[in-house]
């Protein structure tokens, strides 16, 4: 099993905190709203948490496009520019 990056660790931890689920595996195809029950308020909490953890700014227009955990991963990868994201 590949080691998790710092970004992946923060993403999984933040998703677990917002959803109150123990998330060991987060498939890229999980729907934020349907599968994880993340409504607009929970999404705002998730985004704020990730911004603080990763020192990034997630633009509102990007937040509105997030549908899946894969979308969120891809966005975070772009925003962190795959900086020395050590495991």
């Amino acid at each position: 099993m590949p080691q998790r990056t710092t970004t992946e660790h923060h993403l999984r931890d933040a998703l677990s905190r917002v959803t109150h689920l123990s998330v060991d595996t987060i498939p890229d195809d999980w729907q934020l709203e349907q599968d994880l029950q993340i409504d607009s308020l929970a999404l705002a909490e998730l985004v704020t948490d990730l911004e603080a953890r990763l020192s990034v700014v997630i633009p509102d227009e990007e937040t509105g496009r997030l549908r899946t955990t894969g979308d969120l991963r891809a966005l975070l990868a772009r925003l962190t520019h795959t900086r020395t994201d050590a495991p």
Side-chain angles (χ1 to χ4, degrees), residues 7-71:
T7 300
E8 178 70 12
H9 170 76
H10 286 303
L11 172 59
R12 293 160 55 87
D13 190 51
L15 280 168
S16 180
R17 189 186 66 73
V18 168
T19 62
H20 305 288
L21 298 172
S22 174
V23 184
D24 293 324
T25 304
I26 304 172
D28 282 339
D29 60 349
W30 274 12
Q31 297 289 316
L32 297 175
E33 188 174 349
Q34 289 86 356
D35 298 329
L36 294 173
Q37 304 302 304
I38 295 177
D39 61 14
S40 58
L41 180 58
L43 183 59
E45 288 178 37
L46 178 63
V47 165
T48 300
D49 189 12
L50 289 168
E51 287 177 326
R53 290 169 183 258
L54 298 170
S55 299
V56 296
V57 174
I58 300 174
D60 291 340
E61 61 271 9
E62 294 288 345
T63 301
R65 294 185 194 124
L66 297 173
R67 300 290 179 255
T68 67
T69 52
D71 295 342

Side-chain angles (χ1 to χ4, degrees), residues 60-84:
D60 291 340
E61 61 271 9
E62 294 288 345
T63 301
R65 294 185 194 124
L66 297 173
R67 300 290 179 255
T68 67
T69 52
D71 295 342
L72 189 50
R73 275 192 182 93
L75 175 60
L76 293 175
R78 281 196 324 268
L79 294 175
T80 60
H81 304 288
T82 58
R83 60 185 176 210
T84 52

